[in-house]
Amino acid sequence: MVTVEFLGPIQKAPLTLEASSLRDVAGALKSDSELAQWLENCAVAVNDTLVASLDTPLKDGDKVSLLPPVCGG
């Protein structure tokens, strides 16, 4: 099981799911229309390290974070 956390304005409670790669996580999240709009624009971190590939492997206990774009002032 991996934990997925949603940061910033996404405003969703963390969830846990079975996943062996980020591709599995993306597939599960795309089924939620509210989350689907964020997936293309978010950076993704696994255990607090930014990653770019959906083929990134995951293991039991990993934390996946979705980081939406922000603007500062």
Side-chain angles (χ1 to χ4, degrees):
M1 297 292 274
V2 299
T3 300
V4 182
E5 68 177 4
F6 308 98
L7 303 177
I10 299 176
Q11 309 253 337
K12 283 276 205 185
L15 63 96
T16 57
L17 53 93
E18 286 287 336
S20 60
S21 72
L22 282 180
R23 190 172 304 283
D24 296 335
V25 173
L29 298 181
K30 284 181 182 177
S31 66
D32 181 326
S33 61
E34 190 176 327
L35 287 175
Q37 67 179 340
W38 290 103
L39 294 180
E40 291 184 24
N41 298 317
C42 285
V44 178
V46 175
N47 299 324
D48 301 321
T49 300
L50 290 175
V51 295
S53 173
L54 287 178
D55 294 320
T56 300
L58 299 172
K59 62 186 182 310
D60 193 40
D62 280 349
K63 177 181 74 172
V64 177
S65 303
L66 291 183
L67 305 116
V70 295
C71 59

